[in-house]
Amino acid sequence: MVLKAFFPTCCASADSGLLIGRWVPEQSSAVVLAVVHFPFIPIQVKELLAQVQQASQVGVAVLGTWCHRRQEPEESLGHFLEGLGAIFSHEPWLQLCRERDSKFWSCKATYQQVPTSPGAHSEDQVMLIFYDQRKVLLSQLHPPAALPDHQAGDATASACGLAAVFDTVSRSKALFRSDQFDEGLVRLSHWQSEGVEASILVELAKQASGPVCLLLACLLSFISAASTCRVFKLWPLSFIWSKLSTCEQLRHRLEQLTLIFSTQKAENPSQLMRKANMLVSVLLDVALGLALLSWLHRKDRIGQLADALVPVADRVAEELQHLLQWLMGAPAGLKMNRALDQVLGRFFLYHIHLWISYIHLMSPFIERILWHVGLSACLGLTVALSILSDIIALLTFHIYCFYVYGARLYCLKICGLSSLWRLFRGKKWNVLRQRVDSCSYDLDQLFIGTLLFTVLVFLLPTTALYYLVFTLLRLLVVTVQGLIHLLVDLINSLPLYALGLRLCRPYRLAAGVKFRVLEHEAGRPLRLLMQINPLPYNRVVHTYRLPSCGCHPKHSWGSLCRKLFFGELIYPWRQRGDKQD
Amino acid sequence: MEDELSFSDIYGGRLALQRRYYSPSCREFCLSCPRLSLRSLTSVTCTVWLAAYGLFTLCENSMILSAAIFITLLGLLGYLHFVKIDQETLLIIDSLGIQLTSSYASGKESTTFIEMGKVKDVIINEAIYMQKVIYYLCILLNDPADPHGISQVVPVFQSAKPRLDCLIEVYRSCQEILAHQKAAPTSP
């Protein structure tokens, strides 16, 4: 196998010294982590390596020598470097060398022991792969297939392929603490040699985050304790809370905030990303909500809205009345059963009249209610949208009632029709065996059954038409509410921090690597540059999306059509805690 | 070592294959697809603008014309950035892996790297494409669960679609390198 030497680009201009890193025998690759400069004491180098090995569980060792010939070639240095091979023995021993003005390097790998297979050479051909140490240290690989989880405390990093390189570099943080400009015993050269990076703001934020998190965690625990007190579990209140989507959204946000400000540190990078995504989502939500609030309070828009609300409700009621008058006549040329038509029409008209009276009763208080509701937008745009969806649900409550009445009537009719149709053919539904069986009826049973059957059949078009009209209206309202919920879901679950990271620091989220072949000369080893291939945007969203409220319709289109046909009630929003239908 | 050969794709268009032999263990094949032709570009633009002008004479709304210009520009940019592939490259490095790169006409490059441990073999396969039967080169990936099974088939040169003679060239070179892989077992 070709021997691969992964060399950090920051060490390419370093002075001569020893190469420190990890040897991965399965892939025949040497990952160079740092260069130890002269002068050094071999005992101290070995001590440092033992310390690093204990701290990071990575098998760090001296891999070979690095020779950077800036001046005239020194023969003594060459012999000295070869002598080092006797002090730090490693199989194979790498010797990398670079001329002053040359782009091409020379590498040799020598095996001390005679290899067992007769075909292998003692000096393998070496391939040099340059990598940017800082980027590889900070990046996180996202493999396409889910690898089986391995224990975090493994002594040997059991990652396969190039993931081993990433793993080695990211675990060796203990090695990168001391530098060649430090006063320590051993002078190292690695990515920090180009300048240790730190930011005052980040450090201050880290120091301040401890007490702030504690304070907010206490506050949030107090709020969640208050919300679970016994008063809210009484029947009318608990029913209302479970139906309003605002409460669901507030509960969701409270959970998220509790998670963000919990005093436990994040255990792995995915938890950290999740916390960061939630925080950015909450901040954006609040910012958008405040923008909405400022827009609403400018130029007295709330007053305008409140003034427009009652006429709109009146208009809707008027349109419904026209619709019912049309149904009571001869809708679309169909001939209805006059008596049933009048009964149903008058019943629904009276309902609308009641509803309009209630709206007019409430009209003086609407502006104040809207003003207070508008204040809730400072909790977030999602809360404001949920409140809007709830207001729509409340204002169209009469349409919901009509739908339920129409559906129940229709359902009853369909049940009656199906059982009487079975009687008409001389069959019966066997409840014990859950199937249709033949049955012999008496003459009077048959007579009454057939009469009722014909009555129901001739009344079917009227009921079906009312059912159809009110179901369509209900579906329209459900669609509008659904669009609002979709928008809320989008704001809740979009991983904005991950998307921002992908935009500004694409090397942090890596899908893989890519190689570029650098200038090559015959007889010299092959040089490649390894760069990080960033994760595409759709995979970023897919991997890091936050769990949403879960208010998705659970029916497929087929079952929905079936339910509509048989007149069963459809509940499009099943909240998380509800029992399944 | 670098040379360039001329082949044709399944429709008869001209393709240029550039072969670079960096070392006995590293080879690169670069296929250049035919460029965007001026004729098709002008015909599409003329069709869209004629349709927009027709709508304009019906509706007398000048927004339609500006919308048509906008749509043409955005469509062209989108086509160059997301659809039109200029060059496809296959870089095979012994004991590291195989890298597939597609360069789009707008300069965007999309790269996939498959590690050598996952590559089972490189083969030429037949497929039914519309009304033709064509040959295509593909990489077979190992299935970790089943040593004799294949988990995925990755086709190469999907948008250039060269003919069999070009594929045989690439296939022979890849097999030479994969033979090193199979001959040399994992080192002790």
Side-chain angles (χ1 to χ4, degrees):
Chain A
M1 238 191 186
V2 178
L3 197 145
K4 302 176 278 274
F6 288 87
F7 197 79
T9 45
C10 48
C11 296
S13 52
D15 288 331
S16 313
L18 281 180
L19 293 170
I20 293 192
R22 181 183 167 213
W23 167 250
V24 184
E26 299 91 34
Q27 286 124 46
S28 175
S29 56
V31 183
V32 175
L33 292 169
V35 174
V36 176
H37 295 298
F38 305 118
F40 58 82
I41 304 174
I43 302 286
Q44 285 170 347
V45 173
K46 287 187 183 170
E47 266 178 27
L48 174 71
L49 289 178
Q51 269 176 16
V52 170
Q53 198 156 343
Q54 203 186 25
S56 62
Q57 311 287 330
V58 170
V60 196
V62 176
L63 294 174
T65 57
W66 160 243
C67 174
H68 191 185
R69 296 203 181 124
R70 293 182 201 273
Q71 299 88 16
E72 302 309 310
E74 300 168 9
E75 267 66 18
S76 57
L77 191 61
H79 289 308
F80 178 56
L81 289 174
E82 280 173 23
L84 282 172
I87 308 177
F88 302 99
S89 63
H90 188 262
E91 172 102 351
W93 185 248
L94 274 179
Q95 287 165 303
L96 296 175
C97 182
R98 184 186 177 188
E99 306 289 332
R100 184 170 56 130
D101 287 329
S102 165
K103 267 186 288 192
F104 304 110
W105 299 25
S106 73
C107 325
K108 262 192 321 187
T110 44
Y111 289 87
Q112 269 106 18
Q113 299 158 11
V114 175
T116 47
S117 54
H121 301 287
S122 63
E123 282 193 13
D124 243 348
Q125 42 171 337
V126 183
M127 196 157 43
L128 266 178
I129 303 176
F130 295 108
Y131 70 98
D132 188 331
Q133 204 167 40
R134 178 175 161 265
K135 291 193 177 166
V136 169
L137 182 74
L138 291 173
S139 87
Q140 197 189 340
L141 262 187
H142 297 83
L147 289 170
D149 285 354
H150 57 269
Q151 304 294 331
D154 258 5
T156 53
S158 58
C160 57
L162 288 158
V165 177
F166 280 75
D167 207 34
T168 310
V169 178
S170 63
R171 280 197 191 181
S172 312
K173 287 205 177 85
L175 189 62
F176 299 136
R177 283 207 196 107
S178 70
D179 193 358
Q180 64 171 338
F181 302 112
D182 282 343
E183 292 293 320
L185 302 159
V186 179
R187 289 168 56 228
L188 291 171
S189 210
H190 43 74
W191 66 279
Q192 300 266 30
S193 314
E194 290 172 2
V196 176
E197 289 187 7
S199 157
I200 292 184
L201 289 172
V202 170
E203 296 299 317
L204 278 176
K206 279 192 194 157
Q207 294 295 323
S209 67
V212 166
C213 277
L214 202 61
L215 183 69
L216 284 170
C218 291
L219 196 66
L220 286 168
S221 63
F222 182 64
I223 294 179
S224 40
S227 69
T228 53
C229 80
R230 296 287 297 273
V231 173
F232 296 123
K233 294 268 192 332
L234 296 176
W235 181 79
L237 280 178
S238 68
F239 180 72
I240 294 176
W241 287 164
S242 67
K243 290 296 170 204
L244 285 179
S245 60
T246 316
C247 301
E248 186 64 34
Q249 176 65 19
L250 282 172
R251 200 185 313 163
H252 184 72
R253 277 285 183 236
L254 194 65
E255 266 175 32
Q256 281 189 336
L257 283 173
T258 322
L259 185 63
I260 296 173
F261 292 117
S262 74
T263 43
Q264 277 177 320
K265 263 183 96 65
E267 278 143 35
N268 53 17
S270 68
Q271 268 197 9
L272 187 67
M273 285 292 280
R274 192 183 247 207
K275 274 193 177 183
N277 280 326
M278 279 187 199
L279 184 65
V280 174
S281 157
V282 167
L283 286 176
L284 180 77
D285 201 13
V286 169
L288 284 175
L290 287 173
L292 180 70
L293 196 64
S294 73
W295 180 81
L296 274 180
H297 282 269
R298 214 183 295 170
K299 295 190 203 164
D300 191 32
R301 289 230 172 79
I302 293 204
Q304 288 175 3
L305 256 177
D307 288 337
L309 204 64
V310 173
V312 162
D314 269 345
R315 183 79 200 286
V316 167
E318 217 180 280
E319 292 296 324
L320 267 180
Q321 277 174 339
H322 283 309
L323 183 70
L324 282 169
Q325 298 286 1
W326 180 67
L327 280 177
M328 274 162 54
L334 296 168
K335 193 152 188 295
M336 302 274 105
N337 179 294
R338 180 147 292 279
L340 184 62
D341 216 0
Q342 296 286 330
V343 163
L344 287 176
R346 291 231 180 91
F347 174 62
F348 289 135
L349 276 173
Y350 181 62
H351 225 85
I352 294 179
H353 171 77
L354 274 178
W355 185 250
I356 289 297
S357 325
Y358 285 138
I359 297 265
H360 281 268
L361 212 66
M362 287 246 303
S363 59
F365 305 111
I366 285 197
E367 179 166 354
R368 207 165 304 164
I369 294 177
L370 269 184
W371 193 86
H372 285 287
V373 157
L375 272 188
S376 72
C378 66
L379 287 173
L381 184 68
T382 45
V383 176
L385 284 174
S386 315
I387 290 187
L388 178 69
S389 152
D390 286 335
I391 288 180
I392 291 180
L394 281 176
L395 283 181
T396 57
F397 190 63
H398 47 331
I399 296 183
Y400 177 62
C401 287
F402 292 170
Y403 164 70
V404 171
Y405 299 150
R408 287 274 184 240
L409 266 178
Y410 180 75
C411 182
L412 222 68
K413 180 160 284 219
I414 292 286
C415 282
L417 268 177
S418 55
S419 103
L420 288 173
W421 171 246
R422 284 191 281 264
L423 177 132
F424 195 60
R425 291 184 303 147
K427 297 207 190 291
K428 187 180 84 147
W429 174 252
N430 189 338
V431 186
L432 212 57
R433 299 258 182 127
Q434 293 288 316
R435 65 171 189 203
V436 178
D437 275 340
S438 64
C439 170
S440 61
Y441 290 101
D442 293 338
L443 195 63
D444 44 352
Q445 283 174 327
L446 275 177
F447 183 60
I448 299 207
T450 315
L451 254 182
L452 282 174
F453 178 72
T454 43
V455 165
L456 284 178
V457 162
F458 289 129
L459 289 180
L460 185 64
T462 318
T463 332
L465 194 68
Y466 273 90
Y467 173 65
L468 184 71
V469 168
F470 292 129
T471 310
L472 285 176
L473 280 174
R474 172 78 185 137
L475 284 178
L476 184 69
V477 172
V478 160
T479 314
V480 170
Q481 273 192 298
L483 286 173
I484 296 180
H485 279 252
L486 210 64
L487 190 60
V488 168
D489 233 6
L490 188 71
I491 300 180
N492 268 342
S493 68
L494 201 63
L496 286 164
Y497 178 71
L499 285 174
L501 209 60
R502 167 67 182 88
L503 197 63
C504 307
R505 304 255 188 281
Y507 56 84
R508 291 279 295 265
L509 303 168
V513 294
K514 52 188 180 195
F515 290 93
R516 213 181 75 200
V517 183
L518 299 173
E519 260 189 63
H520 183 245
E521 204 183 56
R524 298 285 194 165
L526 185 67
R527 296 182 313 145
L528 299 167
L529 178 66
M530 182 172 91
Q531 289 165 316
I532 296 191
N533 202 11
L535 209 55
Y537 286 101
N538 53 347
R539 272 196 66 195
V540 171
V541 172
H542 185 71
T543 318
Y544 288 109
R545 65 180 308 168
L546 299 165
S548 57
C549 279
C551 313
H552 289 301
K554 304 258 188 315
H555 316 293
S556 64
W557 288 108
S559 75
L560 183 71
C561 289
R562 209 186 123 263
K563 284 198 171 189
L564 282 177
F565 185 70
F566 286 113
E568 292 167 26
L569 286 176
I570 43 176
Y571 297 102
W573 319 117
R574 276 272 175 209
Q575 310 291 6
R576 241 190 315 191
D578 285 2
K579 294 192 288 274
Q580 287 295 326
D581 206 337
Chain B
M1 185 184 102
E2 186 171 327
D3 61 359
E4 186 164 329
L5 300 167
S6 182
F7 290 100
S8 61
D9 67 4
I10 56 173
Y11 302 113
R14 262 203 44 169
L15 290 176
L17 176 73
Q18 264 186 329
R19 290 187 302 188
R20 291 191 200 107
Y21 282 10
Y22 293 112
S23 88
S25 57
C26 178
R27 291 185 193 168
E28 189 176 30
F29 301 95
C30 190
L31 257 184
S32 320
C33 310
R35 306 280 170 154
L36 182 64
S37 76
L38 199 58
R39 194 186 303 175
S40 62
L41 182 63
T42 26
S43 59
V44 168
T45 317
C46 288
T47 328
V48 171
W49 284 0
L50 275 175
Y53 197 70
L55 271 178
F56 171 68
T57 44
L58 276 174
C59 303
E60 303 291 331
N61 189 356
S62 65
M63 283 289 285
I64 295 181
L65 293 177
S66 23
I69 296 178
F70 209 54
I71 289 174
T72 318
L73 272 176
L74 280 182
L76 182 66
L77 283 175
Y79 178 69
L80 291 179
H81 193 73
F82 294 111
V83 176
K84 180 84 187 78
I85 293 185
D86 243 0
Q87 249 187 12
E88 283 182 309
T89 312
L90 176 85
L91 172 70
I92 178 162
I93 309 172
D94 186 15
S95 82
L96 248 191
I98 306 182
Q99 175 167 289
L100 310 168
T101 314
S102 310
S103 332
Y104 290 82
S106 64
K108 172 173 110 162
E109 279 190 7
S110 120
T111 320
T112 334
F113 180 74
I114 305 171
E115 295 181 41
M116 210 41 119
K118 292 202 190 118
V119 171
K120 194 177 161 86
D121 205 355
V122 171
I123 61 167
I124 297 184
N125 203 5
E126 291 174 326
I128 298 179
Y129 180 71
M130 306 283 222
Q131 79 285 9
K132 299 196 229 282
V133 174
I134 60 166
Y135 296 98
Y136 66 99
L137 189 75
C138 57
I139 305 176
L140 301 177
L141 301 185
N142 274 329
D143 190 4
D146 177 17
H148 293 292
I150 297 168
S151 74
Q152 212 185 343
V153 173
V154 179
V156 178
F157 300 138
Q158 267 186 301
S159 97
K161 298 196 194 70
R163 286 199 180 156
L164 191 59
D165 43 5
C166 177
L167 292 178
I168 288 180
E169 280 296 324
V170 181
Y171 173 77
R172 283 213 187 105
S173 296
C174 289
Q175 286 296 333
E176 277 172 25
I177 293 198
L178 287 180
H180 296 176
Q181 188 69 23
K182 290 181 188 135
T186 52
S187 62

